[in-house]
């Protein structure tokens, strides 16, 4: 079983805008104009729910197209035990690095644990640092899933 990686739409949208800004400042403006033109078309959708769904889909699609999901997938590749025990990993945005963390909750998937990882959007501008942070957080999640974790200190 492979864990489903789910990105909070607001996280994806902000990361996309940051990446396009970074590329523009580096002289690589390709893609940004088309993305923004696509957003303008979405503003014409009258049904609010459909419009919001299209904005979410547009952000998530651009997030993948820009490769912003790559560091997450690469970091997760090193944790097959985590993937086998957590059906879903939700990445959410937080405002400050002090709020960055990972934790488990019991989800609606028949009581199976789900992982939540909270990150600042700026982490996506530095893929190598993001992978290192995620590896640390994934290791923490594996520890939480390990029934023997902390057994040494409990036995003493």
């Amino acid at each position: 079983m492979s864990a489903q990686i789910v990105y909070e739409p607001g996280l994806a949208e902000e990361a996309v805008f940051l990446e396009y800004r970074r590329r523009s400042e580096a002289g690589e403006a390709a893609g940004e104009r088309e993305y923004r033109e696509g957003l303008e078309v979405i503003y014409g959708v009258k049904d609010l729910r459909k419009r919001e769904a299209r904005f979410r889909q547009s952000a998530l699609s651009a997030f993948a197209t820009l490769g912003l999901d790559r560091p997450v997938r690469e970091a997760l590749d090193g944790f097959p035990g985590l993937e086998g025990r957590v059906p879903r990993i939700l990445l959410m945005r937080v405002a400050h690095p002090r709020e960055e963390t990972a934790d488990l909750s019991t989800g609606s998937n028949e009581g199976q644990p789900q992982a939540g990882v909270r990150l600042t959007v700026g982490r996506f501008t530095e893929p190598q640092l993001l992978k290192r942070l995620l590896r640390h957080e994934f290791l923490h999640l594996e520890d939480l899933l390990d029934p023997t974790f902390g057994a040494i200190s409990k036995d003493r």
Side-chain angles (χ1 to χ4, degrees):
M1 167 180 71
S2 182
Q4 177 190 19
I5 302 172
V6 179
Y7 298 92
E8 177 190 36
L11 172 78
E13 181 180 40
E14 283 187 50
V16 165
F17 282 121
L18 275 177
E19 179 61 14
Y20 276 133
R21 183 181 319 143
R22 185 198 66 75
R23 289 180 182 206
S24 179
E25 290 170 357
E28 308 167 24
E32 181 179 13
R33 183 182 63 212
E34 292 83 5
Y35 178 69
R36 290 187 182 276
E37 287 172 356
L39 295 179
E40 289 301 320
V41 171
I42 296 171
Y43 279 112
V45 175
K46 297 201 184 319
D47 183 292
L48 182 60
R49 280 191 267 189
K50 288 180 182 177
R51 183 180 338 140
E52 288 303 315
R54 297 253 323 259
F55 277 128
R56 282 192 304 274
Q57 183 54 45
S58 178
L60 293 169
S61 177
F63 187 85
T65 299
L66 290 169
L68 296 170
D69 60 333
R70 189 174 308 122
V72 179
R73 287 184 285 109
E74 288 174 0
L76 189 58
D77 282 346
F79 295 89
L82 179 63
E83 278 205 271
R85 297 178 67 192
V86 176
R88 182 175 174 212
I89 300 172
L90 174 62
L91 282 88
M92 303 162 280
R93 69 180 163 174
V94 292
H96 197 277
R98 286 180 297 192
E99 299 172 283
E100 292 179 319
T101 188
D103 215 338
L104 296 172
S105 65
T106 302
S108 58
N109 284 352
E110 300 173 15
Q112 290 183 310
Q114 295 186 73
V117 180
R118 293 168 187 80
L119 300 166
T120 57
V121 175
R123 294 291 184 184
F124 288 90
T125 63
E126 299 181 80
Q128 293 306 318
L129 291 174
L130 175 58
K131 277 198 301 192
R132 190 166 45 217
L133 173 67
L134 287 171
R135 285 182 185 127
H136 172 82
E137 295 301 335
F138 292 155
L139 182 60
H140 171 68
L141 291 172
E142 275 194 338
D143 287 345
L144 291 175
L145 289 165
D146 184 352
T148 63
F149 181 71
I152 295 171
S153 61
K154 289 178 186 176
D155 292 340
R156 291 184 182 196

